[in-house]
């Protein structure tokens, strides 16, 4: 009997590539341009090949902060991608569309459901942006303009042009957007407490076996050099026995800002599994079929200047059915 041995074809060795800079990439820094095209290659390696002169623009050496222009030829040296990137290519995120609030040639505004991360990473294989890209293979560009926590629902902006991405992110950075959330908190919110101006500090919980633990945020003192000034505006929308529905507008977009600011005032958000009242959360979950199974934080309204027309845009995403049902049950 003959034994048939199937030879494994070795993977082709990486080769030099030349990329033509298109209109969408005009004005982008070289390091950012490379990170977009060399997915899975560590940032340290990208900066190394730039410094060594292996990356060239129109056959000339360039620095990380060089700006690329339309028609430039960018030389990419042979690089190997990580096993994680290869695995993602073999098992891509499932394509998924989300409820659309606004869409044109510049941007896409969706109503993100709770429980879905906006992007993959930190133990999450994929998120909204990976699923959108898979569902829309013809799209030239889909990039997150900002972020929402995994358990927060509501308005999320995605740019469809590089120019729109920069324009919108500049507005978020310069606090030119209006972002208002709906949050249900424990207890009776004080009517006079309308502004929270407390700096926030990021830290890591202790990890196991020398590894970093989970990221957390806490209120710190005004004189803390590592604290980031954070401003939250609060308006009471409705009161119930033992709980208050708030309209919360953030003037700064810090990580977990609303959750930490409200909790630090003694009024944690219902269902918050990081900064909440865990015993209260358990009680809320037990309310028969209408129990609260998620955090009650929803990105409700968003205002911004349109990157194409400069007109002021006002979007609203109504409370999702599960939060409406919960409020109907407790009122």
């Amino acid at each position: 009997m003959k034994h048939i041995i199937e030879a494994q074809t070795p993977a082709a060795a990486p080769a030099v590539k030349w990329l033509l800079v298109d209109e969408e990439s005009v004005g982008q820094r070289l390091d950012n341009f490379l990170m977009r095209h060399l997915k899975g290659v560590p940032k340290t390696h990208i900066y190394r090949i730039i410094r060594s002169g292996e990356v060239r623009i129109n056959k000339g050496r360039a620095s990380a902060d060089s700006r690329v222009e339309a028609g430039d030829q960018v030389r990419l040296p042979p690089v190997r991608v990580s096993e994680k990137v290869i695995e993602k290519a073999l098992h891509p995120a499932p394509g998924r569309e989300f409820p659309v609030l606004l869409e044109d040639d510049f941007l896409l505004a969706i109503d993100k459901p709770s429980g879905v991360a906006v992007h993959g990473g930190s133990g999450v294989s994929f998120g909204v942006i990976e699923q959108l890209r898979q569902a829309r293979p013809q799209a030239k560009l889909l990039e997150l303009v900002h972020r929402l926590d995994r358990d927060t629902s509501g308005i999320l902006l995605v740019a469809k042009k590089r120019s729109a991405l920069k324009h919108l992110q500049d507005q978020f950075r310069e606090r030119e957007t209006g972002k208002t959330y709906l949050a249900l908190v424990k207890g009776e919110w004080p009517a006079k407490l309308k502004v929270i101006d407390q700096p926030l500090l990021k830290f890591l919980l202790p990890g196991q076996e020398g590894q970093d633990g989970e990221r957390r945020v806490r209120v710190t003192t005004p004189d803390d050099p590592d604290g980031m000034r954070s401003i939250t505006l609060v308006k009471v929308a409705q009161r119930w026995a033992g709980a208050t529905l708030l309209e919360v507008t953030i003037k700064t977009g810090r990580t977990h800002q609303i959750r930490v600011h409200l909790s630090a005032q003694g009024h944690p958000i219902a269902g918050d599994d990081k900064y909440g009242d865990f015993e209260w959360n358990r009680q809320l979950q037990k309310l028969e079929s209408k129990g609260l199974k998620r955090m009650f934080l929803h990105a409700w309204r968003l205002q911004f200047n349109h990157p194409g027309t400069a007109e002021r845009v006002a979007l609203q995403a109504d409370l999702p059915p599960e939060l409406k049902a919960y409020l109907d049950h407790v009122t």
Side-chain angles (χ1 to χ4, degrees):
M1 180 182 294
K2 292 183 179 180
H3 295 277
I4 301 175
I5 301 177
E6 295 183 359
Q8 296 291 326
T9 303
V16 171
K17 292 182 180 179
W18 289 88
L19 295 178
L20 180 66
V21 177
D22 58 16
E23 293 292 337
E24 284 293 333
S25 301
V26 170
Q28 201 171 20
R29 285 173 52 115
L30 178 60
D31 51 359
N32 292 331
F33 177 81
L34 294 180
M35 287 173 197
R36 184 159 62 96
H37 288 279
L38 296 176
K39 301 284 189 184
V41 177
K43 290 183 181 179
T44 53
H45 186 68
I46 288 176
Y47 286 110
R48 189 180 305 126
I49 60 178
I50 294 174
R51 287 195 302 268
S52 69
E54 295 176 82
V55 175
R56 303 239 167 183
I57 299 179
N58 302 327
K59 299 185 178 180
R61 291 182 70 125
S63 59
D65 59 358
S66 297
R67 302 283 176 173
V68 297
E69 300 297 336
D72 282 349
Q73 295 276 351
V74 179
R75 178 191 186 273
L76 300 185
V79 292
R80 294 187 181 277
V81 298
S82 68
E83 292 294 328
K84 183 181 291 186
V85 170
I86 295 174
E87 181 67 18
K88 281 187 177 181
L90 294 174
H91 304 285
R96 179 180 177 183
E97 290 282 359
F98 298 87
V100 174
L101 300 171
L102 172 68
E103 181 171 12
D104 55 30
D105 292 338
F106 293 85
L107 61 91
L108 169 66
I110 65 169
D111 189 355
K112 185 189 87 68
S114 174
V116 182
V118 294
H119 60 75
S122 301
V124 180
S125 299
F126 56 83
V128 168
I129 195 64
E130 290 87 1
Q131 290 181 297
L132 277 175
R133 288 170 180 161
Q134 194 66 21
R136 300 176 175 218
Q138 76 285 355
K140 292 182 178 179
L141 179 84
L142 291 172
E143 294 285 354
L144 290 167
V145 174
H146 61 117
R147 285 161 175 73
L148 292 177
D149 289 346
R150 183 176 184 174
D151 294 326
T152 302
S153 55
I155 305 170
L156 181 68
L157 292 187
V158 176
K160 297 170 69 175
K161 288 179 178 286
R162 185 68 51 188
S163 58
L165 177 65
K166 182 180 185 305
H167 191 284
L168 291 166
Q169 287 184 333
D170 286 347
Q171 290 185 59
F172 276 86
R173 190 179 306 110
E174 299 300 322
R175 306 179 189 176
E176 295 171 353
T177 59
K179 295 178 287 183
T180 301
Y181 294 69
L182 292 176
L184 184 71
V185 299
K186 181 180 181 181
E188 185 174 340
W189 186 268
K192 294 182 180 180
L193 183 53
K194 298 179 181 180
V195 180
I196 304 172
D197 186 353
Q198 294 179 309
L200 297 176
L201 178 69
K202 292 181 180 179
F203 67 98
L204 293 175
L205 294 175
Q208 296 181 347
E209 300 178 1
Q211 295 182 342
D212 288 337
E214 195 174 352
R215 181 183 61 180
R216 285 287 195 277
V217 179
R218 63 176 174 83
V219 167
T220 188
T221 57
D223 58 353
D224 188 334
D226 296 320
M228 297 177 292
R229 190 180 184 191
S230 306
I231 302 172
T232 302
L233 309 182
V234 182
K235 177 183 177 183
V236 173
Q238 197 168 351
R239 296 183 186 276
W240 293 274
T244 309
L245 182 66
L246 303 176
E247 295 178 14
V248 184
T249 300
I250 53 174
K251 292 300 182 180
T252 52
R254 310 301 185 194
T255 301
H256 298 169
Q257 176 177 325
I258 295 175
R259 301 164 69 176
V260 176
H261 266 176
L262 300 187
S263 181
Q265 301 301 318
H267 300 276
I269 296 176
D272 189 342
D273 63 358
K274 285 186 171 65
Y275 308 100
D277 182 319
F278 306 130
E279 178 56 38
W280 187 50
N281 288 346
R282 281 192 288 270
Q283 294 173 13
L284 299 180
Q285 291 175 2
K286 293 177 181 178
L287 294 176
E288 302 171 357
S289 61
K290 297 296 191 296
L292 188 63
K293 309 299 182 185
R294 53 158 290 194
M295 179 171 64
F296 202 121
L297 182 61
H298 178 69
W300 178 42
R301 289 177 173 169
L302 177 64
Q303 295 184 23
F304 58 91
N305 298 325
H306 192 278
T309 66
E311 292 180 0
R312 194 66 172 174
V313 177
L315 300 177
Q316 179 171 315
D318 294 335
L319 278 176
E322 70 274 11
L323 296 187
K324 285 182 181 177
Y326 178 74
L327 288 184
D328 289 343
H329 185 73
V330 297
T331 55

